[in-house]
Amino acid sequence: MEQEHIVQAKNLHKVYETGELKVHALRGVDIEIERGEMISIMGPSGCGKTTLLNCLSGIDDPTQGEVIIEGTSLADLSDNEKTEYRAKRIGFVFQAYNLFPVLTAAENVEMPLLLGGVRLREARKRALKALKHVGLEDSETKLPSELSGGEQQRVAIARALVNDPAIVFGDELTGNLDTETSDQVMDLIHEMNRRNKQTFVIVTHDPKVGDMAHRVLKFRDGTVEKEYRPIG
Amino acid sequence: MMVGIMNGTMSLVIFVLVIFGVVFLIGFSKRALFRMALRNLWRRKTNIAVVTAGLLIGTAIITSSFVIGDTFGYIFKSVVYEELDRTDELVGALGGRTGAYAYFPSSYYQNLSDARDAGNLTSIDGLAPAILESAPVLDTLTSLSEASVNIMGIDARADAEFGFFHEVDGDRITGETVFLQPNATIINERLAKQLDAEPGHIVLIHYTVYINETIPDPRVKSLTVASIVKNVGKANFLWGENLFITLDLAQEMFEKPGMINLIRVSNEGGVETGVARTDSAKEEIEAVIGTKDENPFGLEVMTIKRDNIDIAEEGSQAISELFTIMSTFAIIAGVILIVNIFVMLAEERKSEMGTARALGMKRRHLVLSYVLEGSVYALLAAFLGAFAGLGIAYLMILAFAQIFGAAGLAIPFYFEADSLILGFSLGALITFMTVVLSSWVVSKLNIVRAIRGIPEPSLARPTRRFVVMGGLLVALGVLLTYAGVVQLSQAYFMTGPCILLLGGAMVVSKRWGTRVPITVASLGSIVWILLPVDLIEGMTGGMEMFILSGVFLVLSAVLLVMANSHALVNFISRLNAGRKDALPVVRMALSYPMKKKFRTGMTLVMFALIIFTVTVIAMISSFQANFVEGTYEDQSGAYDIIGTANYMTPIANISGTIQSSSILANRFDEVGTMTTAFTTAYNAGDGENATFHVRVYGANDDFLDSNDFTFHSISADYDGPDDVWDAVRTNSSLIVLDASGMLVIQGYAPELMNVLQAEVDDTVVVDTPLGPSEKQVIGTLNEFYFFQGMITSEVFSQDQFGPQLPVLFFFKGTDSGSSNIRSLAKDLEKEFVGSGLQTTVIWDFLAEQLRTQSAIMNLIQVYLGMGLVVGIAGLAIVAIRSVVERRQEIGVMRAIGYKRRMVMRVFLMEISFISLLGIIAGIVLGVALSFHIYRGFFGATAEFTHFLSLIPIVNLLAIAVIAFVLTLLLTISSAFKAAKIVPAEALRFKE
């Protein structure tokens, strides 16, 4: 049976212009990601990994080329439609956790649900469930500043997964964590992927994290240099 | 600015120059720091405008209050110079029983003149004898009259030393040739205008001569207008309607051969500079004629010009101080803004400050870097602020000119360079001191947390230092409260318990957390300040109470809000729970300001303080506008018309004349009359050194029976007003005083009013021709507009001061209160034209007074409203800062599903929330505090429902809308910027 492509990127180019300086961050990238797949994008700093992630998730527009998610070309969507799509179908986890510092853990997690129009009571119920999944059921009223780095990242994962997104993008999500916490977070991601069949696209420097994916894209100078499936 | 301040100004300027000189000298010796400071300043150019605008307001307000003082000082002094011209002193004796100058032999003038010829009066360049009386004058051709004309008998030759008369066609005359014609008179333009007189017209002077000093003998003198002269120089004497005749003619008319009642003295020097020789001139004159106590006529050298200049300076200084005091809120708000700005600048640069410290920069270097940057801001803002203040003052003076223009008072704009320099120096100094303090606070940081951008850990429980501070505040609060009770000081008694409560909350917060104790303390303080009960009788307080109440109320309210921020956010979130898109926007918009407690609190205080002040002024304005009835009751005694006759032409039997008049008969219910005698008196409790000139009013039986003047206080021995008036009628040692002395005692009127200050049950010693006479004050009235002095009965007054006829009249019409009263007043003037009776319709007069006061209050409201610029600049800076520091979060918001318009709404709502909270707090507290003021206005008649009906809802709404719209206008661009941020770029952003 032919695998369904949840994300397709065709001939993606991204050029940043700063005055007269032009930086080619992406130089004709073609990628296809299957539903339920966990893919990692690896490469040295400045090779265009994060730019690719931004273009794939619709928070940035490619200079040239097309991104199709779940059969819809992002280029055909307005900014509002892209935003609504992200709210309902996409989750994000960032290296610096990027939780809202003034909201409690539960309030952070329920935010995507509220944005999707879920009522407060229902949103809170689901947020608490998501926090329980990541092992933080006792931290719902804590502010991010009262949590450790690993706990914050777990809250971020709960926030990314709470609205049951089709695809989750993670940008260096273990970059700020120690080895043990990093392992715990990746185990959690792995479990979510296996249990919920959610698609994960993870940008990382860490070969250990990269090798936990089904497929690894090695990036260099804005293009996919190498693609392989890790063993085990 | 006033001369007295000159030295202070110089010292301050030198102090400021030294401070900035030292700062910049240190800056030059640490070039790297200076460079860093300047580049930091220049880095965010858009900030410079907003920050400078916020900082300059304090200086602008200080400068404008000085310049307004300058203008009024200039006007007041101009009046003095123009009305006295070359006359610096008057030699004479105030003490004729009518209040006019007493007569003395002209030989005194001759003695002085001889002394001058002998070279003994070196400080004097002019001496002239005169007779000055006041009398009504009628133009026979135009039939127009003027009730109070200064009749001046002058010696034209001696008078030449006081300059020329200037005829309206431009010729200069001395009067000598004019007076060659028999019965010729020179009148000034002011009088000519009143009479519509022209040269050649015949005018009649009505006056009274007392035969043997007792029997009044009314006379009329016919004169020919020979010349009309401009209201300048000596023709403008005492700013009056002046009629000049020869001294001989005056002596003949008033039957005072060889007598004069004034010697005018001009000092060496010009109109403005001669006053400097006042002391030596007085000394030289007294060496010839003796002092007041030495010569038999009680002649004294009245230093009229210097006294009036002093009063002018005191008056303008009082106006300047009033504006400065009222501007205190804006200045406090300005200081808070500076603190806020520097705290935010520090937050923005936290990472680089951490790096600098890691590289070896010491804390004092960081402080210096900030101080250098702040000094540039301080100087720039103070420089621009001084000129902005000049502009503000100019607009205020224009507005004042509009209000007073109708009354014929010209208000030219005038300022002295000293005021600008002083405003600049004070503004720069206040900004600088705040900058130093803020820099010291913000430079304290944890290097690692600063570099890595980790937020400061929030403390679960207050620190030991916090608790100790609380303990110190408790002690201070107790001390202040005790001082308040002992010294009967409202200021201490109000602030003491507030500080005590706050300190108490800090102490117990170690055990119970901050929320509940702070809530209780702030609520307690608000209730304490607004408590509509005077717990201790006799406490006094002035303008400082307004400032202290405002500051403590606003601080308490802001503490209350910030302590309960979580509940507030939850409450508003729940209100929006059912609306799609609304909840994520509301939650994000409210959570930030409520978590950034210091920044939000400070901004709220700024905004609320300004709105509070403007609200209180709006409320006072409303009370004033609605106080006609209360004022009428106090000031009118239920009469409709007040009439005054010239003392030269008193009216013997006014009721009889009215009854026999074809136009007045049967149109009055009551006619009260008063005679007046002019003397001196002192409060026995204060001693003879505090002797004041006073008028003794002799009220007739009709007045004592029928007046309804309200009393401020009545001696406990009397049951009520009727009892008091009966006592005055039957006992010559009992008197009633008007309100002017009480107003000075209670601090509502300045000391320079020079009135006898006495309260009920005080004993007053009155100087009478029969010797000193002790009187007991048994009542004080609320009235002060139409007569000022002590009231006894007409019979007792005549017993002590000799025969007098009434000059003050109180009329109550049969159709009292109707518009017919105006025509009745006109008919009275017609009937008594020979006596120069001048009438005032009391209701119209008071309404006009209140309208003017209300217009001034509205103007002050606008003036204080300018402080809003501080609040709005503060919010604009918060908005700009929020967008910068939350750029990355905006990226996350956009990534997880916030649409552009939602991001914009988050920022707009955040600013609106702070601004609305400030506006609501300011208005609510301002209205609440105004209830105290309302009770002061309306006294016993005060009712809460009436108070509510006086709240100027439209005015307050306008204030709220203007403040809110201006805030939105200035912050909307930041919200737009936030919405336009591209999420991918924002996520990459590092501040």
Side-chain angles (χ1 to χ4, degrees):
Chain A
M1 192 181 81
E2 194 186 333
Q3 285 285 352
E4 186 192 351
H5 293 140
I6 191 166
V7 180
Q8 284 179 290
K10 294 176 183 171
N11 191 27
L12 285 189
H13 286 263
K14 180 73 186 179
V15 181
Y16 292 111
E17 291 187 39
T18 317
E20 291 183 0
L21 187 72
K22 285 187 177 180
V23 178
H24 288 259
L26 298 179
R27 299 167 186 265
V29 178
D30 292 294
I31 298 176
E32 288 175 343
I33 301 169
E34 289 155 14
R35 191 177 290 277
E37 192 178 16
M38 185 169 168
I39 188 166
S40 67
I41 302 167
M42 298 184 68
S45 290
C47 69
K49 306 184 294 287
T50 300
T51 305
L52 175 67
L53 193 110
N54 290 343
C55 290
L56 293 180
S57 62
I59 60 174
D60 203 357
D61 296 323
T63 315
Q64 192 189 322
E66 188 183 20
V67 177
I68 299 164
I69 299 186
E70 293 191 300
T72 307
S73 169
L74 290 182
D76 294 339
L77 299 181
S78 68
D79 186 69
N80 269 352
E81 287 166 335
K82 271 192 280 193
T83 309
E84 258 177 43
Y85 183 81
R86 283 199 300 272
K88 286 176 181 160
R89 303 293 291 159
I90 294 178
F92 285 95
V93 188
F94 304 97
Q95 176 181 2
Y97 330 130
N98 288 65
L99 297 175
F100 299 113
V102 293
L103 301 184
T104 62
E107 286 170 343
N108 262 290
V109 175
E110 73 194 10
M111 192 53 88
L113 295 171
L114 297 176
L115 284 163
V118 177
R119 297 185 74 83
L120 182 62
R121 193 185 294 264
E122 172 66 14
R124 178 55 58 100
K125 214 167 105 188
R126 283 169 61 181
L128 293 179
K129 201 173 151 194
L131 279 173
K132 196 175 173 189
H133 270 150
V134 297
L136 289 174
E137 58 268 41
D138 297 330
S139 303
E140 60 164 310
T141 57
K142 287 186 177 166
L143 288 171
S145 57
E146 295 163 340
L147 299 170
S148 69
E151 287 171 328
Q152 286 190 57
Q153 196 60 301
R154 279 193 277 161
V155 174
I157 290 168
R159 181 176 71 181
L161 298 175
V162 73
N163 56 351
D164 200 17
I167 181 164
V168 177
F169 291 97
D171 189 0
E172 301 282 8
L173 49 79
T174 57
N176 280 3
L177 304 177
D178 59 56
T179 314
E180 193 186 336
T181 317
S182 174
D183 288 347
Q184 287 171 2
V185 166
M186 283 315 295
D187 286 346
L188 190 66
I189 298 273
H190 224 90
E191 193 202 325
M192 298 292 171
N193 171 254
R194 206 177 55 237
R195 199 171 61 193
N196 304 335
K197 298 290 176 221
Q198 277 160 322
T199 310
F200 280 81
V201 180
I202 294 164
V203 164
T204 182
H205 267 103
D206 186 350
K208 198 174 159 195
V209 171
D211 288 349
M212 289 177 86
H214 300 135
R215 189 153 55 108
V216 178
L217 302 179
K218 276 270 193 184
F219 236 64
R220 179 176 287 276
D221 296 335
T223 54
V224 180
E225 186 190 43
K226 195 165 84 179
E227 181 183 335
Y228 64 90
R229 289 182 185 274
I231 301 157
Chain B
M1 211 50 229
M2 285 61 68
V3 180
I5 286 181
M6 185 61 202
N7 289 337
T9 308
M10 280 311 294
S11 332
L12 185 71
V13 170
I14 291 167
F15 183 59
V16 168
L17 284 177
V18 167
I19 282 184
F20 283 98
V22 168
V23 167
F24 287 116
L25 224 80
I26 297 173
F28 281 120
S29 70
K30 309 259 183 213
R31 295 252 171 97
L33 284 181
F34 199 34
R35 213 166 30 230
M36 199 166 118
L38 286 180
R39 287 186 186 164
N40 269 329
L41 185 92
W42 203 241
R43 197 162 67 168
R44 300 208 194 284
K45 294 183 192 67
T46 47
N47 275 12
I48 294 179
V50 183
V51 172
T52 311
L55 296 184
L56 68 78
I57 288 298
T59 311
I61 282 175
I62 293 171
T63 311
S64 64
S65 51
F66 290 157
V67 172
I68 289 168
D70 281 352
T71 297
F72 279 97
Y74 174 75
I75 294 167
F76 296 161
K77 281 195 263 185
S78 296
V79 168
V80 177
Y81 292 133
E82 285 173 30
E83 72 172 359
L84 292 176
D85 195 53
R86 295 192 191 183
T87 304
D88 291 296
E89 294 92 28
L90 295 176
V91 178
L94 256 181
R97 62 182 185 193
T98 53
Y101 293 106
Y103 283 86
F104 57 90
S106 57
S107 56
Y108 278 94
Y109 161 71
Q110 203 49 56
N111 293 344
L112 281 173
S113 185
D114 293 345
R116 187 165 64 137
D117 292 343
N120 296 333
L121 302 182
T122 53
S123 301
I124 290 164
D125 66 3
L127 279 171
I131 284 178
L132 174 65
E133 291 282 6
S134 173
V137 173
L138 173 83
D139 185 304
T140 54
L141 205 67
T142 62
S143 295
L144 292 171
S145 67
E146 173 55 38
S148 284
V149 177
N150 290 325
I151 312 293
M152 285 195 72
I154 56 170
D155 176 339
R157 185 172 302 211
D159 225 62
E161 290 183 332
F162 288 78
F164 294 93
F165 287 116
H166 298 263
E167 288 193 305
V168 277
D169 59 13
D171 286 346
R172 295 193 310 181
I173 57 170
T174 59
E176 282 184 273
T177 45
V178 176
F179 289 140
L180 286 176
Q181 305 162 46
N183 293 330
T185 178
I186 296 171
I187 63 172
N188 70 0
E189 258 187 308
R190 198 173 290 120
L191 176 59
K193 200 174 163 194
Q194 295 295 333
L195 301 178
D196 206 5
E198 285 179 20
H201 283 203
I202 305 293
V203 293
L204 303 179
I205 303 178
H206 293 260
Y207 64 104
T208 302
V209 172
Y210 286 82
I211 299 165
N212 297 329
E213 295 288 322
T214 51
I215 305 159
D217 180 13
R219 308 270 177 90
V220 178
K221 179 71 183 175
S222 170
L223 300 168
T224 306
V225 176
S227 177
I228 295 173
V229 294
K230 290 180 185 167
N231 301 323
V232 293
K234 63 187 182 185
N236 197 38
F237 191 62
L238 300 180
W239 212 271
E241 278 85 10
N242 296 336
L243 181 150
F244 298 88
I245 52 177
T246 64
L247 187 58
D248 294 342
L249 181 55
Q251 287 169 337
E252 180 196 317
M253 272 173 63
F254 298 110
E255 296 191 352
K256 299 286 180 188
M259 304 287 269
I260 54 177
N261 66 1
L262 269 187
I263 300 170
R264 283 188 291 154
V265 180
S266 166
N267 295 351
E268 277 285 346
V271 171
E272 293 184 21
T273 54
V275 77
R277 293 193 173 229
T278 301
D279 281 334
S280 52
K282 185 177 178 186
E283 217 169 276
E284 289 167 9
I285 295 169
E286 283 178 344
V288 178
I289 64 168
T291 62
K292 187 183 175 189
D293 298 331
E294 288 165 357
N295 71 69
F297 293 92
L299 294 182
E300 61 178 318
V301 182
M302 292 173 276
T303 52
I304 183 169
K305 190 182 274 178
R306 190 176 64 187
D307 293 352
N308 287 358
I309 290 289
D310 286 350
I311 290 173
E313 282 182 349
E314 274 183 56
S316 59
Q317 202 167 347
I319 289 176
S320 184
E321 278 169 14
L322 179 73
F323 272 85
T324 312
I325 287 173
M326 286 190 305
S327 312
T328 308
F329 287 109
I331 294 168
I332 294 172
V335 168
I336 295 173
L337 175 65
I338 299 167
V339 175
N340 232 0
I341 286 171
F342 272 77
V343 168
M344 279 190 268
L345 284 178
E347 279 175 9
E348 183 178 319
R349 298 180 200 154
K350 203 166 177 181
S351 160
E352 62 193 64
M353 275 162 52
T355 311
R357 292 278 280 121
L359 291 175
M361 193 184 264
K362 291 179 181 145
R363 185 179 172 191
R364 64 185 159 84
H365 292 136
L366 277 185
V367 175
L368 183 62
S369 165
Y370 272 107
V371 168
L372 283 168
E373 186 180 344
S375 298
V376 176
Y377 267 129
L379 288 176
L380 181 69
F383 180 77
L384 295 175
F387 286 97
L390 198 62
I392 291 168
Y394 179 73
L395 294 177
M396 290 294 292
I397 296 299
L398 271 188
F400 271 119
Q402 288 284 318
I403 294 173
F404 293 109
L409 183 62
I411 301 191
F413 180 62
Y414 173 85
F415 72 95
E416 288 176 16
D418 262 17
S419 294
L420 280 187
I421 296 169
L422 193 60
F424 167 83
S425 307
L426 278 175
L429 196 63
I430 291 173
T431 311
F432 177 80
M433 290 192 306
T434 318
V435 162
V436 170
L437 190 75
S438 312
S439 304
W440 179 252
V441 174
V442 299
S443 64
K444 188 182 177 190
L445 47 83
N446 174 296
I447 297 176
V448 177
R449 277 202 293 269
I451 292 175
R452 297 186 61 192
I454 302 169
E456 295 298 317
S458 51
L459 300 166
R461 286 282 173 205
T463 60
R464 192 189 174 87
R465 186 196 277 186
F466 186 77
V467 175
V468 171
M469 284 270 292
L472 289 175
L473 285 181
V474 168
L476 178 67
V478 171
L479 212 68
L480 284 174
T481 312
Y482 176 72
V485 175
V486 172
Q487 297 181 15
L488 290 178
S489 154
Q490 270 186 354
Y492 293 153
F493 192 61
M494 189 209 77
T495 50
C498 295
I499 294 174
L500 179 90
L501 280 170
L502 180 67
M506 288 165 75
V507 171
V508 301
S509 63
K510 183 90 178 160
R511 186 179 173 83
W512 291 329
T514 49
R515 198 172 76 85
V516 175
I518 291 286
T519 303
V520 172
S522 46
L523 267 177
S525 296
I526 292 172
V527 171
W528 172 248
I529 297 168
L530 296 178
L531 209 63
V533 185
D534 301 321
L535 292 178
I536 297 176
E537 284 287 316
M539 282 211 161
T540 53
M543 275 291 283
E544 81 281 358
M545 287 307 296
F546 176 39
I547 313 270
L548 288 170
S549 309
V551 169
F552 275 84
L553 272 178
V554 167
L555 282 177
S556 304
V558 169
L559 277 176
L560 182 66
V561 168
M562 299 318 291
N564 294 282
S565 56
H566 197 68
L568 188 66
V569 172
N570 277 347
F571 173 70
I572 300 176
S573 297
R574 274 177 209 289
L575 287 183
N576 289 278
R579 294 164 53 209
K580 187 178 183 293
D581 284 3
L583 190 52
V585 169
V586 170
R587 179 169 283 173
M588 203 54 88
L590 303 195
S591 296
Y592 269 96
M594 289 295 111
K595 288 290 185 314
K596 297 268 179 187
K597 286 187 196 304
F598 180 80
R599 180 192 297 182
T600 309
M602 289 280 119
T603 312
L604 264 179
V605 170
M606 258 190 314
F607 220 75
L609 265 183
I610 305 290
I611 299 285
F612 169 85
T613 332
V614 178
T615 301
V616 172
I617 300 291
M619 293 294 290
I620 294 174
S621 181
S622 167
F623 298 154
Q624 272 185 340
N626 288 283
F627 196 53
V628 184
E629 278 180 30
T631 312
Y632 182 74
E633 200 180 310
D634 287 343
Q635 303 294 326
S636 73
Y639 292 107
D640 298 308
I641 301 165
I642 297 263
T644 50
N646 194 289
Y647 66 87
M648 276 286 177
T649 51
I651 303 168
N653 179 12
I654 195 162
S655 294
T657 313
I658 285 172
Q659 278 316 314
S660 57
S661 159
S662 58
I663 55 170
L664 295 175
N666 302 320
R667 292 178 72 187
F668 295 97
D669 277 345
E670 282 152 17
V671 180
T673 70
M674 282 186 183
T675 59
T676 70
F678 197 71
T679 185
T680 57
Y682 61 89
N683 188 332
D686 296 337
E688 215 169 329
N689 286 336
T691 297
F692 297 92
H693 287 289
V694 291
R695 282 185 189 279
V696 177
Y697 294 94
N700 70 348
D701 281 350
D702 284 349
F703 179 90
L704 295 173
D705 287 341
S706 64
N707 86 78
D708 283 323
F709 281 104
T710 58
F711 279 80
H712 175 274
S713 41
I714 289 176
S715 170
D717 300 338
Y718 301 87
D719 290 338
D722 290 344
D723 205 15
V724 169
W725 292 125
D726 274 344
V728 167
R729 190 204 318 268
T730 53
N731 187 339
S732 66
S733 66
L734 304 178
I735 54 162
V736 167
L737 289 178
D738 81 301
S740 41
M742 282 303 298
L743 290 175
V744 176
I745 291 172
Q746 294 182 341
Y748 293 111
E751 288 276 349
L752 58 87
M753 272 185 63
N754 275 327
V755 292
L756 176 71
Q757 297 167 33
E759 297 177 83
V760 285
D761 299 331
D762 282 357
T763 299
V764 170
V765 182
V766 183
D767 185 28
T768 75
L770 308 170
S773 169
E774 289 194 353
K775 312 278 182 195
Q776 194 198 339
V777 182
I778 58 168
T780 50
L781 299 176
N782 287 315
E783 189 281 342
F784 57 84
Y785 266 122
F786 300 108
F787 55 91
Q788 297 91 36
M790 56 182 70
I791 303 168
T792 179
S793 79
E794 185 178 321
V795 177
F796 294 141
S797 180
Q798 297 206 353
D799 285 349
Q800 292 170 61
F801 294 95
Q804 301 157 352
L805 291 174
V807 288
L808 192 58
F809 306 93
F810 303 84
F811 304 96
K812 185 167 189 174
T814 48
D815 41 8
S816 177
S818 78
S819 58
N820 292 338
I821 293 298
R822 290 187 193 121
S823 66
L824 189 56
K826 283 196 180 120
D827 288 344
L828 271 169
E829 288 192 359
K830 249 186 241 168
E831 183 66 39
F832 294 98
V833 68
S835 298
L837 184 73
Q838 299 249 295
T839 59
T840 303
V841 176
I842 298 174
W843 183 272
D844 289 351
F845 173 82
L846 294 176
E848 182 54 37
Q849 291 282 314
L850 293 174
R851 257 196 300 278
T852 306
Q853 284 174 17
S854 198
I856 293 171
M857 291 308 283
N858 288 340
L859 194 59
I860 289 173
Q861 196 184 332
V862 173
Y863 178 74
L864 296 181
M866 282 183 296
L868 271 180
V869 177
V870 179
I872 293 169
L875 277 177
I877 289 166
V878 168
I880 291 171
R881 177 69 203 141
S882 289
V883 175
V884 174
E885 78 183 3
R886 277 153 55 190
R887 215 176 150 81
Q888 215 173 24
E889 279 159 46
I890 293 169
V892 180
M893 282 161 69
R894 296 279 286 121
I896 68 167
Y898 277 82
K899 295 169 191 155
R900 279 185 199 281
R901 65 164 188 273
M902 290 169 75
V903 172
M904 190 162 103
R905 277 164 54 199
V906 165
F907 281 87
L908 282 182
M909 186 176 277
E910 183 175 330
I911 294 300
S912 306
F913 175 65
I914 301 176
S915 136
L916 281 177
L917 214 53
I919 290 170
I920 291 168
I923 289 181
V924 169
L925 296 173
V927 168
L929 187 79
S930 302
F931 187 62
H932 280 309
I933 302 166
Y934 166 82
R935 285 168 61 232
F937 260 90
F938 293 89
T941 63
E943 274 178 26
F944 191 63
T945 46
H946 180 234
F947 166 73
L948 291 180
S949 74
L950 296 184
I951 296 173
I953 293 170
V954 176
N955 192 341
L956 296 183
L957 266 179
I959 293 168
V961 170
I962 290 170
F964 185 63
V965 169
L966 285 176
T967 310
L968 279 191
L969 283 178
L970 213 72
T971 50
I972 203 162
S973 67
S974 297
F976 267 122
K977 256 185 209 159
K980 274 170 47 186
I981 286 173
V982 179
E985 281 176 23
L987 284 166
R988 268 202 309 274
F989 176 76
K990 274 272 176 206
E991 217 186 297

